[in-house]
Amino acid sequence: MHKLLLLMALSILSVKSYAAICPDGSEPLKSISADGTYFVFNCSEPVSTADASSPRSNKLLPDKLKEIKVVKDWEPIADWESVKKYARLVPIPEWRNETFKCFERIKNVNPYPNKDSHTGWYSCQSYLHAVSSYNPQRLGDILLSWASASKDPMTVVPFEHPAHMAAGYDIPSTIGTFAQFYAFWYDEIEYTPEERQRVDAYMTRKLMEQKFAPIGRNYKGPFNNCDINDINSVLNEQTGQGNCGNIRMKVAVGEIMLGFRLENQTLLDKGHDDMYVVHAFINEDGININHASRGGNTLNYSWEYTYYSSLLAEIYDSVGYDYLEHTLPRGAKVHEYLSFNYRFLKDFKLTAQWAKYDIGSLWLPYSQIKNLSQEKYQKTPNGRQAYSWKDGDKEFVKAHTKFVKRYMPELYNFDVKNYMGSNFNDSPNFGVHPYMLHIVNNLLEENSNTSKFEAMLQKELDEKKRIEDEKKKEKKRVDAEKYQERLEVEKERLRVEAEKYQERLEVEKERLRVEAEIEAESCKTTPLNGEYEARWIRDHWRDIGEWEFVGSEPLILDQCEGQFEGIKQFDPRPTPAVRKKLIVKYQTNGDISIKGDLNLYDIDDIRYTELYGNINDGEISGIWGVRNRLKIELVKK
């Protein structure tokens, strides 16, 4: 049912789109693609990719883009605040600037791009595209510096110079992508009227002077060998593939965008003429033979340059032309070209018959990857640079949102605006990301899509939180049950221990009772009972250990308790009343203790004192106060 609805939607769209025209003037035959997601338009001639050249490939269609005219006050977007707000979301690769000091590097064209500094040049070109979207004036200052120089720094040296290969590629490429950026951010760059005129004239001249001579060092052919009538001509090593393709494409899109901005029909027409050359090497099946032949880089080149199709779709939409339905010189439509490249991302071997030529890719021949599975290819260093494979279709959708909404709407199923996982958020090969235009020209829809997925995400988060809360609640319940079980076990253990303790306590009480009875009985009959003479002797610490007799009195011991007579007055102390109150306890084995308050010297200087000894030894002793020794000698009467 889903596929049926999709086909119905596509049928409606096909009625609204431009009708395809076959080389013989007949109407094309419409059929459904193999995966059922889009329509394929074929003419009556058999279509085959067994050979790059077919009867249909050799017949070039006229360029309908040449019919497009400049418009007054052209403006690619309506809401600049929204585009600046979006630009702030894009991550900036600051490591590029930290490594190469990009602003001065490009502004001063120093070092001049050569084989040793080529990497730094295009890395900085990529960085400046990105960072200048935050502040367009930065790139604007570079353009003004070039335009104001007494000697133009962006000039390629003569062909025989060894730097020509790198500079011949880098300099026109940078002119092209910076022209794209300048045309887009034109009103956001502040110049005086004289400065504006100077930069406009400079950029126009630089674009118009690009004739795309081949840049190979060993090139020996005529001045321009981009033979658009022979699609296989780019398979010749003597052909300037960069100037038949990538360099020319960057310059062409710069010419088209700046042509619209400056209302310069001549510049716009040159852009269309230059781009027609590039498109002449896209066969009737939407395969760019120039890119397909790039050996192990076949996917890298093919995929990255598809960004221009969506960028141009947004540009042409601003002047009322449906570029996605535009027919390329050999019969393929732009949307068919993008459809092929989507399939190509899923199967990198679709260009094998051309990739084997290794044109411009001797450092990575196709033989190194041709026998790999798709999964293993994606894990190679070159494969990892080509696409954000882990994100599935997201990078493709971000690059081609307009195309996806129309031809593959089932892929438009995530928050496109906030997805920043693409390998090409910034690139040296295009000055403006197509989504930069798409979002501001479709702001309500894109924000609605974002809101939808934010709501879905919030719902997922809420559901996840609900599940987590349920898990926590269940865990608390289980933990409470386990705790209660442990508590009951502990209570039972304590109860059993308490019972055992109580039993031991009763046994101990009974033992003590029995021992007390025995002791009490023994106390009645012990031979220790009787009257003793108690002789009190003290040793004042100041007397350096000399004992002093202070008095004697009777001590009556009866049934393990005793009492001093407490009648005589000792000289000088303790007093009788104090002695009489002393608590005397003894055991049948003879151990005896005397405890109580004593005033050993002054009548009011009473201190608690404990004395211990054994009756059988005849002596009880202890300390009074701090250091005063005291003993009582016992003699039984």
PDB file of all heavy atoms in Angstrom, residues 307-336:
ATOM      1  N   TYR A 307      26.435  17.326  -5.045  1.00  0.00           N
ATOM      2  CA  TYR A 307      25.938  18.470  -4.268  1.00  0.00           C
ATOM      3  C   TYR A 307      25.529  19.623  -5.188  1.00  0.00           C
ATOM      4  O   TYR A 307      24.610  20.380  -4.872  1.00  0.00           O
ATOM      5  CB  TYR A 307      27.010  18.948  -3.288  1.00  0.00           C
ATOM      6  CG  TYR A 307      27.062  18.178  -1.993  1.00  0.00           C
ATOM      7  CD1 TYR A 307      27.569  16.887  -1.939  1.00  0.00           C
ATOM      8  CD2 TYR A 307      26.606  18.744  -0.807  1.00  0.00           C
ATOM      9  CE1 TYR A 307      27.634  16.188  -0.740  1.00  0.00           C
ATOM     10  CE2 TYR A 307      26.671  18.056   0.401  1.00  0.00           C
ATOM     11  CZ  TYR A 307      27.186  16.774   0.426  1.00  0.00           C
ATOM     12  OH  TYR A 307      27.238  16.092   1.608  1.00  0.00           O
ATOM     13  N   TYR A 308      26.221  19.748  -6.314  1.00  0.00           N
ATOM     14  CA  TYR A 308      25.903  20.852  -7.221  1.00  0.00           C
ATOM     15  C   TYR A 308      24.501  20.727  -7.811  1.00  0.00           C
ATOM     16  O   TYR A 308      23.857  21.735  -8.102  1.00  0.00           O
ATOM     17  CB  TYR A 308      26.951  20.945  -8.331  1.00  0.00           C
ATOM     18  CG  TYR A 308      28.157  21.755  -7.919  1.00  0.00           C
ATOM     19  CD1 TYR A 308      29.427  21.199  -7.924  1.00  0.00           C
ATOM     20  CD2 TYR A 308      28.029  23.071  -7.500  1.00  0.00           C
ATOM     21  CE1 TYR A 308      30.542  21.932  -7.529  1.00  0.00           C
ATOM     22  CE2 TYR A 308      29.130  23.813  -7.107  1.00  0.00           C
ATOM     23  CZ  TYR A 308      30.380  23.250  -7.121  1.00  0.00           C
ATOM     24  OH  TYR A 308      31.462  23.989  -6.728  1.00  0.00           O
ATOM     25  N   SER A 309      24.028  19.497  -7.982  1.00  0.00           N
ATOM     26  CA  SER A 309      22.684  19.329  -8.542  1.00  0.00           C
ATOM     27  C   SER A 309      21.642  19.938  -7.620  1.00  0.00           C
ATOM     28  O   SER A 309      20.707  20.608  -8.080  1.00  0.00           O
ATOM     29  CB  SER A 309      22.384  17.840  -8.761  1.00  0.00           C
ATOM     30  OG  SER A 309      23.244  17.302  -9.734  1.00  0.00           O
ATOM     31  N   SER A 310      21.790  19.716  -6.322  1.00  0.00           N
ATOM     32  CA  SER A 310      20.817  20.273  -5.379  1.00  0.00           C
ATOM     33  C   SER A 310      21.028  21.760  -5.153  1.00  0.00           C
ATOM     34  O   SER A 310      20.061  22.505  -4.947  1.00  0.00           O
ATOM     35  CB  SER A 310      20.887  19.523  -4.046  1.00  0.00           C
ATOM     36  OG  SER A 310      20.309  18.250  -4.182  1.00  0.00           O
ATOM     37  N   LEU A 311      22.286  22.211  -5.188  1.00  0.00           N
ATOM     38  CA  LEU A 311      22.534  23.648  -5.092  1.00  0.00           C
ATOM     39  C   LEU A 311      21.883  24.376  -6.265  1.00  0.00           C
ATOM     40  O   LEU A 311      21.189  25.389  -6.093  1.00  0.00           O
ATOM     41  CB  LEU A 311      24.040  23.916  -5.060  1.00  0.00           C
ATOM     42  CG  LEU A 311      24.461  25.396  -5.025  1.00  0.00           C
ATOM     43  CD1 LEU A 311      23.938  26.074  -3.768  1.00  0.00           C
ATOM     44  CD2 LEU A 311      25.979  25.526  -5.108  1.00  0.00           C
ATOM     45  N   LEU A 312      22.074  23.845  -7.466  1.00  0.00           N
ATOM     46  CA  LEU A 312      21.485  24.466  -8.665  1.00  0.00           C
ATOM     47  C   LEU A 312      19.967  24.351  -8.662  1.00  0.00           C
ATOM     48  O   LEU A 312      19.276  25.253  -9.154  1.00  0.00           O
ATOM     49  CB  LEU A 312      22.070  23.827  -9.920  1.00  0.00           C
ATOM     50  CG  LEU A 312      23.543  24.183 -10.191  1.00  0.00           C
ATOM     51  CD1 LEU A 312      24.127  23.263 -11.246  1.00  0.00           C
ATOM     52  CD2 LEU A 312      23.679  25.639 -10.617  1.00  0.00           C
ATOM     53  N   ALA A 313      19.441  23.265  -8.110  1.00  0.00           N
ATOM     54  CA  ALA A 313      17.983  23.128  -8.028  1.00  0.00           C
ATOM     55  C   ALA A 313      17.391  24.270  -7.215  1.00  0.00           C
ATOM     56  O   ALA A 313      16.320  24.806  -7.547  1.00  0.00           O
ATOM     57  CB  ALA A 313      17.614  21.786  -7.411  1.00  0.00           C
ATOM     58  N   GLU A 314      18.079  24.654  -6.137  1.00  0.00           N
ATOM     59  CA  GLU A 314      17.602  25.777  -5.317  1.00  0.00           C
ATOM     60  C   GLU A 314      17.801  27.105  -6.046  1.00  0.00           C
ATOM     61  O   GLU A 314      16.930  27.984  -6.001  1.00  0.00           O
ATOM     62  CB  GLU A 314      18.352  25.797  -3.982  1.00  0.00           C
ATOM     63  CG  GLU A 314      18.217  24.538  -3.131  1.00  0.00           C
ATOM     64  CD  GLU A 314      16.813  24.311  -2.608  1.00  0.00           C
ATOM     65  OE1 GLU A 314      16.007  25.262  -2.626  1.00  0.00           O
ATOM     66  OE2 GLU A 314      16.520  23.177  -2.185  1.00  0.00           O
ATOM     67  N   ILE A 315      18.929  27.250  -6.737  1.00  0.00           N
ATOM     68  CA  ILE A 315      19.205  28.495  -7.466  1.00  0.00           C
ATOM     69  C   ILE A 315      18.184  28.703  -8.574  1.00  0.00           C
ATOM     70  O   ILE A 315      17.597  29.792  -8.727  1.00  0.00           O
ATOM     71  CB  ILE A 315      20.639  28.471  -8.039  1.00  0.00           C
ATOM     72  CG1 ILE A 315      21.682  28.443  -6.910  1.00  0.00           C
ATOM     73  CG2 ILE A 315      20.869  29.653  -8.958  1.00  0.00           C
ATOM     74  CD1 ILE A 315      21.674  29.635  -6.017  1.00  0.00           C
ATOM     75  N   TYR A 316      17.966  27.682  -9.378  1.00  0.00           N
ATOM     76  CA  TYR A 316      17.032  27.815 -10.505  1.00  0.00           C
ATOM     77  C   TYR A 316      15.593  27.942 -10.032  1.00  0.00           C
ATOM     78  O   TYR A 316      14.760  28.562 -10.718  1.00  0.00           O
ATOM     79  CB  TYR A 316      17.177  26.634 -11.457  1.00  0.00           C
ATOM     80  CG  TYR A 316      18.461  26.665 -12.265  1.00  0.00           C
ATOM     81  CD1 TYR A 316      19.353  25.600 -12.232  1.00  0.00           C
ATOM     82  CD2 TYR A 316      18.787  27.768 -13.054  1.00  0.00           C
ATOM     83  CE1 TYR A 316      20.539  25.623 -12.958  1.00  0.00           C
ATOM     84  CE2 TYR A 316      19.961  27.799 -13.787  1.00  0.00           C
ATOM     85  CZ  TYR A 316      20.839  26.739 -13.731  1.00  0.00           C
ATOM     86  OH  TYR A 316      22.006  26.776 -14.451  1.00  0.00           O
ATOM     87  N   ASP A 317      15.305  27.371  -8.868  1.00  0.00           N
ATOM     88  CA  ASP A 317      13.963  27.512  -8.335  1.00  0.00           C
ATOM     89  C   ASP A 317      13.633  28.981  -8.080  1.00  0.00           C
ATOM     90  O   ASP A 317      12.476  29.399  -8.194  1.00  0.00           O
ATOM     91  CB  ASP A 317      13.848  26.713  -7.031  1.00  0.00           C
ATOM     92  CG  ASP A 317      12.413  26.604  -6.542  1.00  0.00           C
ATOM     93  OD1 ASP A 317      11.570  26.106  -7.309  1.00  0.00           O
ATOM     94  OD2 ASP A 317      12.132  27.033  -5.400  1.00  0.00           O
ATOM     95  N   SER A 318      14.681  29.764  -7.764  1.00  0.00           N
ATOM     96  CA  SER A 318      14.455  31.188  -7.499  1.00  0.00           C
ATOM     97  C   SER A 318      14.084  31.971  -8.758  1.00  0.00           C
ATOM     98  O   SER A 318      13.610  33.109  -8.673  1.00  0.00           O
ATOM     99  CB  SER A 318      15.713  31.799  -6.860  1.00  0.00           C
ATOM    100  OG  SER A 318      16.791  31.838  -7.783  1.00  0.00           O
ATOM    101  N   VAL A 319      14.315  31.371  -9.942  1.00  0.00           N
ATOM    102  CA  VAL A 319      13.910  32.032 -11.200  1.00  0.00           C
ATOM    103  C   VAL A 319      12.852  31.211 -11.938  1.00  0.00           C
ATOM    104  O   VAL A 319      12.603  31.409 -13.121  1.00  0.00           O
ATOM    105  CB  VAL A 319      15.138  32.266 -12.109  1.00  0.00           C
ATOM    106  CG1 VAL A 319      16.087  33.269 -11.479  1.00  0.00           C
ATOM    107  CG2 VAL A 319      15.865  30.963 -12.440  1.00  0.00           C
ATOM    108  N   GLY A 320      12.226  30.253 -11.213  1.00  0.00           N
ATOM    109  CA  GLY A 320      11.075  29.540 -11.758  1.00  0.00           C
ATOM    110  C   GLY A 320      11.387  28.377 -12.675  1.00  0.00           C
ATOM    111  O   GLY A 320      10.540  27.988 -13.484  1.00  0.00           O
ATOM    112  N   TYR A 321      12.602  27.795 -12.566  1.00  0.00           N
ATOM    113  CA  TYR A 321      12.947  26.665 -13.435  1.00  0.00           C
ATOM    114  C   TYR A 321      13.148  25.412 -12.584  1.00  0.00           C
ATOM    115  O   TYR A 321      13.865  25.441 -11.581  1.00  0.00           O
ATOM    116  CB  TYR A 321      14.217  26.954 -14.229  1.00  0.00           C
ATOM    117  CG  TYR A 321      14.544  25.891 -15.265  1.00  0.00           C
ATOM    118  CD1 TYR A 321      13.828  25.823 -16.455  1.00  0.00           C
ATOM    119  CD2 TYR A 321      15.551  24.964 -15.042  1.00  0.00           C
ATOM    120  CE1 TYR A 321      14.118  24.848 -17.404  1.00  0.00           C
ATOM    121  CE2 TYR A 321      15.854  23.987 -15.974  1.00  0.00           C
ATOM    122  CZ  TYR A 321      15.120  23.924 -17.160  1.00  0.00           C
ATOM    123  OH  TYR A 321      15.409  22.963 -18.088  1.00  0.00           O
ATOM    124  N   ASP A 322      12.518  24.305 -13.010  1.00  0.00           N
ATOM    125  CA  ASP A 322      12.603  23.041 -12.277  1.00  0.00           C
ATOM    126  C   ASP A 322      13.824  22.270 -12.750  1.00  0.00           C
ATOM    127  O   ASP A 322      13.759  21.485 -13.699  1.00  0.00           O
ATOM    128  CB  ASP A 322      11.328  22.222 -12.514  1.00  0.00           C
ATOM    129  CG  ASP A 322      11.278  20.973 -11.640  1.00  0.00           C
ATOM    130  OD1 ASP A 322      12.271  20.689 -10.943  1.00  0.00           O
ATOM    131  OD2 ASP A 322      10.247  20.283 -11.658  1.00  0.00           O
ATOM    132  N   TYR A 323      14.939  22.455 -12.060  1.00  0.00           N
ATOM    133  CA  TYR A 323      16.197  21.867 -12.505  1.00  0.00           C
ATOM    134  C   TYR A 323      16.223  20.353 -12.316  1.00  0.00           C
ATOM    135  O   TYR A 323      16.883  19.647 -13.081  1.00  0.00           O
ATOM    136  CB  TYR A 323      17.359  22.505 -11.740  1.00  0.00           C
ATOM    137  CG  TYR A 323      18.715  22.018 -12.175  1.00  0.00           C
ATOM    138  CD1 TYR A 323      19.220  22.314 -13.449  1.00  0.00           C
ATOM    139  CD2 TYR A 323      19.510  21.253 -11.314  1.00  0.00           C
ATOM    140  CE1 TYR A 323      20.467  21.867 -13.850  1.00  0.00           C
ATOM    141  CE2 TYR A 323      20.764  20.808 -11.709  1.00  0.00           C
ATOM    142  CZ  TYR A 323      21.240  21.110 -12.972  1.00  0.00           C
ATOM    143  OH  TYR A 323      22.468  20.658 -13.367  1.00  0.00           O
ATOM    144  N   LEU A 324      15.528  19.839 -11.322  1.00  0.00           N
ATOM    145  CA  LEU A 324      15.545  18.390 -11.106  1.00  0.00           C
ATOM    146  C   LEU A 324      14.933  17.635 -12.286  1.00  0.00           C
ATOM    147  O   LEU A 324      15.259  16.478 -12.533  1.00  0.00           O
ATOM    148  CB  LEU A 324      14.812  18.028  -9.810  1.00  0.00           C
ATOM    149  CG  LEU A 324      15.501  18.490  -8.517  1.00  0.00           C
ATOM    150  CD1 LEU A 324      14.619  18.197  -7.313  1.00  0.00           C
ATOM    151  CD2 LEU A 324      16.861  17.833  -8.350  1.00  0.00           C
ATOM    152  N   GLU A 325      14.054  18.299 -13.041  1.00  0.00           N
ATOM    153  CA  GLU A 325      13.468  17.686 -14.234  1.00  0.00           C
ATOM    154  C   GLU A 325      14.202  18.122 -15.511  1.00  0.00           C
ATOM    155  O   GLU A 325      13.779  17.784 -16.617  1.00  0.00           O
ATOM    156  CB  GLU A 325      11.981  18.058 -14.347  1.00  0.00           C
ATOM    157  CG  GLU A 325      11.091  17.341 -13.358  1.00  0.00           C
ATOM    158  CD  GLU A 325      10.977  15.850 -13.659  1.00  0.00           C
ATOM    159  OE1 GLU A 325      11.225  15.457 -14.829  1.00  0.00           O
ATOM    160  OE2 GLU A 325      10.661  15.075 -12.735  1.00  0.00           O
ATOM    161  N   HIS A 326      15.295  18.846 -15.335  1.00  0.00           N
ATOM    162  CA  HIS A 326      16.083  19.283 -16.494  1.00  0.00           C
ATOM    163  C   HIS A 326      16.734  18.076 -17.164  1.00  0.00           C
ATOM    164  O   HIS A 326      17.217  17.153 -16.509  1.00  0.00           O
ATOM    165  CB  HIS A 326      17.168  20.263 -16.033  1.00  0.00           C
ATOM    166  CG  HIS A 326      18.121  20.667 -17.119  1.00  0.00           C
ATOM    167  ND1 HIS A 326      17.743  21.470 -18.171  1.00  0.00           N
ATOM    168  CD2 HIS A 326      19.435  20.355 -17.320  1.00  0.00           C
ATOM    169  CE1 HIS A 326      18.788  21.648 -18.967  1.00  0.00           C
ATOM    170  NE2 HIS A 326      19.830  20.985 -18.475  1.00  0.00           N
ATOM    171  N   THR A 327      16.738  18.094 -18.500  1.00  0.00           N
ATOM    172  CA  THR A 327      17.351  17.012 -19.270  1.00  0.00           C
ATOM    173  C   THR A 327      18.781  17.387 -19.631  1.00  0.00           C
ATOM    174  O   THR A 327      19.035  18.428 -20.220  1.00  0.00           O
ATOM    175  CB  THR A 327      16.556  16.734 -20.549  1.00  0.00           C
ATOM    176  OG1 THR A 327      15.193  16.425 -20.206  1.00  0.00           O
ATOM    177  CG2 THR A 327      17.150  15.550 -21.311  1.00  0.00           C
ATOM    178  N   LEU A 328      19.721  16.519 -19.250  1.00  0.00           N
ATOM    179  CA  LEU A 328      21.136  16.732 -19.523  1.00  0.00           C
ATOM    180  C   LEU A 328      21.448  16.417 -20.982  1.00  0.00           C
ATOM    181  O   LEU A 328      20.624  15.812 -21.693  1.00  0.00           O
ATOM    182  CB  LEU A 328      21.965  15.865 -18.570  1.00  0.00           C
ATOM    183  CG  LEU A 328      21.751  16.191 -17.074  1.00  0.00           C
ATOM    184  CD1 LEU A 328      22.409  15.139 -16.191  1.00  0.00           C
ATOM    185  CD2 LEU A 328      22.276  17.577 -16.745  1.00  0.00           C
ATOM    186  N   PRO A 329      22.605  16.802 -21.496  1.00  0.00           N
ATOM    187  CA  PRO A 329      22.898  16.703 -22.936  1.00  0.00           C
ATOM    188  C   PRO A 329      22.694  15.325 -23.549  1.00  0.00           C
ATOM    189  O   PRO A 329      22.329  15.215 -24.715  1.00  0.00           O
ATOM    190  CB  PRO A 329      24.366  17.138 -23.023  1.00  0.00           C
ATOM    191  CG  PRO A 329      24.536  18.078 -21.878  1.00  0.00           C
ATOM    192  CD  PRO A 329      23.686  17.526 -20.796  1.00  0.00           C
ATOM    193  N   ARG A 330      22.874  14.256 -22.779  1.00  0.00           N
ATOM    194  CA  ARG A 330      22.746  12.916 -23.363  1.00  0.00           C
ATOM    195  C   ARG A 330      21.460  12.216 -22.964  1.00  0.00           C
ATOM    196  O   ARG A 330      21.331  11.004 -23.113  1.00  0.00           O
ATOM    197  CB  ARG A 330      23.964  12.072 -23.009  1.00  0.00           C
ATOM    198  CG  ARG A 330      25.249  12.654 -23.591  1.00  0.00           C
ATOM    199  CD  ARG A 330      26.454  11.767 -23.420  1.00  0.00           C
ATOM    200  NE  ARG A 330      27.646  12.455 -23.930  1.00  0.00           N
ATOM    201  CZ  ARG A 330      28.022  12.472 -25.202  1.00  0.00           C
ATOM    202  NH1 ARG A 330      27.289  11.833 -26.101  1.00  0.00           N
ATOM    203  NH2 ARG A 330      29.093  13.133 -25.580  1.00  0.00           N
ATOM    204  N   GLY A 331      20.504  12.964 -22.438  1.00  0.00           N
ATOM    205  CA  GLY A 331      19.164  12.416 -22.243  1.00  0.00           C
ATOM    206  C   GLY A 331      18.768  12.109 -20.817  1.00  0.00           C
ATOM    207  O   GLY A 331      17.583  11.960 -20.538  1.00  0.00           O
ATOM    208  N   ALA A 332      19.716  11.940 -19.930  1.00  0.00           N
ATOM    209  CA  ALA A 332      19.350  11.676 -18.535  1.00  0.00           C
ATOM    210  C   ALA A 332      18.846  12.947 -17.875  1.00  0.00           C
ATOM    211  O   ALA A 332      19.317  14.051 -18.178  1.00  0.00           O
ATOM    212  CB  ALA A 332      20.562  11.149 -17.764  1.00  0.00           C
ATOM    213  N   LYS A 333      17.892  12.783 -16.987  1.00  0.00           N
ATOM    214  CA  LYS A 333      17.413  13.931 -16.228  1.00  0.00           C
ATOM    215  C   LYS A 333      18.244  14.067 -14.945  1.00  0.00           C
ATOM    216  O   LYS A 333      18.869  13.105 -14.481  1.00  0.00           O
ATOM    217  CB  LYS A 333      15.938  13.768 -15.898  1.00  0.00           C
ATOM    218  CG  LYS A 333      15.043  13.914 -17.126  1.00  0.00           C
ATOM    219  CD  LYS A 333      13.615  14.181 -16.727  1.00  0.00           C
ATOM    220  CE  LYS A 333      12.781  14.536 -17.954  1.00  0.00           C
ATOM    221  NZ  LYS A 333      11.429  14.948 -17.582  1.00  0.00           N
ATOM    222  N   VAL A 334      18.242  15.272 -14.417  1.00  0.00           N
ATOM    223  CA  VAL A 334      19.035  15.521 -13.213  1.00  0.00           C
ATOM    224  C   VAL A 334      18.608  14.590 -12.090  1.00  0.00           C
ATOM    225  O   VAL A 334      19.444  14.036 -11.370  1.00  0.00           O
ATOM    226  CB  VAL A 334      18.934  16.997 -12.779  1.00  0.00           C
ATOM    227  CG1 VAL A 334      19.592  17.210 -11.417  1.00  0.00           C
ATOM    228  CG2 VAL A 334      19.567  17.909 -13.827  1.00  0.00           C
ATOM    229  N   HIS A 335      17.319  14.373 -11.930  1.00  0.00           N
ATOM    230  CA  HIS A 335      16.878  13.496 -10.838  1.00  0.00           C
ATOM    231  C   HIS A 335      17.303  12.053 -11.091  1.00  0.00           C
ATOM    232  O   HIS A 335      17.533  11.284 -10.147  1.00  0.00           O
ATOM    233  CB  HIS A 335      15.366  13.604 -10.613  1.00  0.00           C
ATOM    234  CG  HIS A 335      14.512  13.016 -11.685  1.00  0.00           C
ATOM    235  ND1 HIS A 335      14.262  11.673 -11.797  1.00  0.00           N
ATOM    236  CD2 HIS A 335      13.824  13.604 -12.697  1.00  0.00           C
ATOM    237  CE1 HIS A 335      13.462  11.449 -12.826  1.00  0.00           C
ATOM    238  NE2 HIS A 335      13.192  12.604 -13.392  1.00  0.00           N
ATOM    239  N   GLU A 336      17.455  11.655 -12.358  1.00  0.00           N
ATOM    240  CA  GLU A 336      17.953  10.314 -12.649  1.00  0.00           C
ATOM    241  C   GLU A 336      19.439  10.214 -12.306  1.00  0.00           C
ATOM    242  O   GLU A 336      19.915   9.165 -11.836  1.00  0.00           O
ATOM    243  CB  GLU A 336      17.715   9.983 -14.127  1.00  0.00           C
ATOM    244  CG  GLU A 336      16.245   9.831 -14.469  1.00  0.00           C
ATOM    245  CD  GLU A 336      16.003   9.636 -15.952  1.00  0.00           C
ATOM    246  OE1 GLU A 336      16.734  10.237 -16.761  1.00  0.00           O
ATOM    247  OE2 GLU A 336      15.080   8.892 -16.297  1.00  0.00           O
TER     248      GLU A 336
END
